[in-house]
Amino acid sequence: VEHIDLIQDAVLGILAKLPTAALPPQGFDAARIDAIILAKVPDRSEKVKAPPQAIPTGRWTPETALARFKESNQKIHAALDTSLDLRARVVNHPLFGPWHGYHWILGCGLHTARHTQQILEVKSDPGFPPQ
């Protein structure tokens, strides 16, 4: 959950930068990027190493991490209700290139789904919890 919190915090920071971010590049194909996000982000068959700033270190208790998750999740949802044109500007994703605001929100939700599936797999293991 700490890792998800850190990613959500990063996405909130990106959304805050959108008003002054770059314009989409020539030939920017938002629908193609939608399809890539929908296919790649939740796909756990490819392992992806988290950037150093998103690696969990145990900085929060489980209760605090869950509270942070709920709070940042509400802030991300609130971004959908703003007057900000989430499609007008782009910020580069380190793996996928330029994403507009809706891409960041979609990717964030699917990132959470990816790790929820991972958590469910770990919990379904007969050896969970470790003795």
Side-chain angles (χ1 to χ4, degrees):
V1 175
E2 180 181 342
H3 167 70
I4 295 168
D5 286 344
L6 295 169
I7 295 300
Q8 287 192 165
D9 287 347
V11 169
L12 285 167
I14 288 164
L15 293 175
K17 293 177 188 175
L18 275 179
T20 59
L23 294 172
Q26 185 87 18
F28 183 74
D29 185 347
R32 183 183 64 78
I33 296 168
D34 287 347
I36 291 169
I37 293 169
L38 289 166
K40 295 282 188 180
V41 175
D43 179 9
R44 293 196 52 248
S45 67
E46 284 188 53
K47 302 296 181 200
V48 179
K49 181 125 174 90
Q53 65 272 23
I55 294 175
T57 62
R59 68 192 85 200
W60 304 304
T61 65
E63 295 79 17
T64 300
L66 185 57
R68 287 178 55 83
F69 168 78
K70 289 177 181 178
E71 181 181 339
S72 61
N73 200 43
Q74 287 175 342
K75 289 178 182 176
I76 289 169
H77 284 180
L80 294 169
D81 294 329
T82 67
S83 60
L84 177 65
D85 182 355
L86 293 170
R87 289 188 175 91
R89 304 284 180 153
V90 296
V91 175
N92 277 334
H93 184 282
L95 299 176
F96 300 111
W99 281 9
H100 61 44
Y102 284 115
H103 290 139
W104 283 101
I105 292 170
L106 176 62
C108 187
L110 290 170
H111 174 262
T112 299
R114 175 188 181 105
H115 286 294
T116 299
Q117 183 60 39
Q118 181 183 29
I119 290 166
L120 292 172
E121 287 174 16
V122 168
K123 288 177 72 174
S124 72
D125 186 278
F128 181 85
Q131 304 300 326

